[in-house]
Amino acid sequence: MDARPVVVGYHDRKDSREALAWAADEASASGLPLQVLFAANYPGMITPPGSSIELEPGALDAANEVTTRGVAEALVLQPGLAVSGRTEITSPARALMEASEDASLLVIGSRGYGPVLGSLLGSISLIVPAKAACPVVVVKPACAQTRPGPARRVVVGTDGSEHAAAAVEFAAGVAERRGAPLEVLCSTGEPPLYGVTTMDPHEAARQILALAEAAVAVAHPVVEVRTHCTEGPAAEALLAASADAGMVVVGSRGRGAFTGMIAGSVSMAVVHGAEAPVAVV
């Protein structure tokens, strides 16, 4: 089993506390340790390289206190969980990306269309998922209590690309751990669809879904898999499915319906509009 921790961005405000609760629950369900990460980038903490400016007295202690509160809160939520704290004197985006190198999962909170870890949601949701070395889950306040399970399926979009296949594998792993059904969606609304030779988008989608279902059956035979060929834009299909889902999973650099996912409209639409936590793989 991968013993790398689940890392959660924390800054002692409501959105990060909700992300912390979600991350602690996920770490417990996965049998992994949790690392609480606070990036102290407020005035007086970061100085230019070679600068003679000294840190404001007590600033580092104050930053470590924030991290300590996060660790304590996680232990209240999950008393048996192995929890550690990490304080970085840098920007939230950089701290998160560096932490992702040794993480199994990165969890960040948001305030809807406002800040994530003190930065704009737009910039963080583009930079961190695009460059992180592990899957990233964005937890919004409206879905902070949402978890995958028997009554809430895991939804994943695929277009037959390599990156979409990685998203399907991640989603299947979550579904297996949580005892949740897995729904695999393929949209015909934004061709081309990759990995098939037919020019008919509906037949292409059916072939892609059949291949995805077969791959899950081999790697995760206990997972109940449902497939759905949807019309129209991929983002619309994923957002509609998120209403009663436990998690929505998307690939980071898909093709066809998921072209340019991180830099394009689909990722932003799903992260901003989904009614469930969103994992970008």
Side-chain angles (χ1 to χ4, degrees), residues 135-222:
V136 179
V137 175
V138 180
V139 181
K140 294 191 299 182
C143 57
Q145 302 303 315
T146 302
R147 308 284 191 275
R152 280 190 174 268
R153 69 202 187 287
V154 178
V155 175
V156 60
T158 184
D159 59 2
S161 68
E162 179 182 351
H163 292 281
V168 171
E169 167 58 27
F170 175 86
V174 173
E176 182 171 357
R177 287 195 303 275
R178 295 286 188 165
L182 175 67
E183 182 174 12
V184 186
L185 302 182
C186 187
S187 172
T188 63
E190 299 175 50
L193 297 174
Y194 282 63
V196 293
T197 57
T198 177
M199 297 299 293
D200 176 65
H202 294 87
E203 179 60 26
R206 285 192 287 270
Q207 289 189 28
I208 288 169
L209 290 170
L211 290 171
E213 185 175 13
V216 173
V218 170
H220 305 274
V222 301

Side-chain angles (χ1 to χ4, degrees), residues 153-158 183-187 190 228 230-245 247-251 257-258 261 266-267 269-271 273-279:
R153 69 202 187 287
V154 178
V155 175
V156 60
T158 184
E183 182 174 12
V184 186
L185 302 182
C186 187
S187 172
E190 299 175 50
H228 189 194
T230 69
E231 304 288 343
E236 290 184 5
L238 290 167
L239 290 176
S242 76
D244 56 355
M247 175 184 283
V248 176
V249 182
V250 292
F258 294 87
M261 188 108 200
V266 174
S267 66
V270 175
V271 169
E275 298 178 54
V278 177

Side-chain angles (χ1 to χ4, degrees), residues 100-130:
S100 75
E101 294 286 345
D102 300 310
S104 62
L105 183 70
L106 196 60
V107 181
I108 55 179
S110 82
R111 300 172 182 174
Y113 290 92
V116 175
L117 296 179
S119 298
L120 292 177
L121 173 61
S123 64
I124 293 294
S125 65
L126 290 174
I127 295 171
V128 175

Side-chain angles (χ1 to χ4, degrees), residues 11 22 36 64 89 145 152 165 224 237 241 262 281:
H11 51 61
W22 195 96
V36 179
N64 284 328
I89 312 304
Q145 302 303 315
R152 280 190 174 268
E224 175 190 346
I262 288 302
V281 182

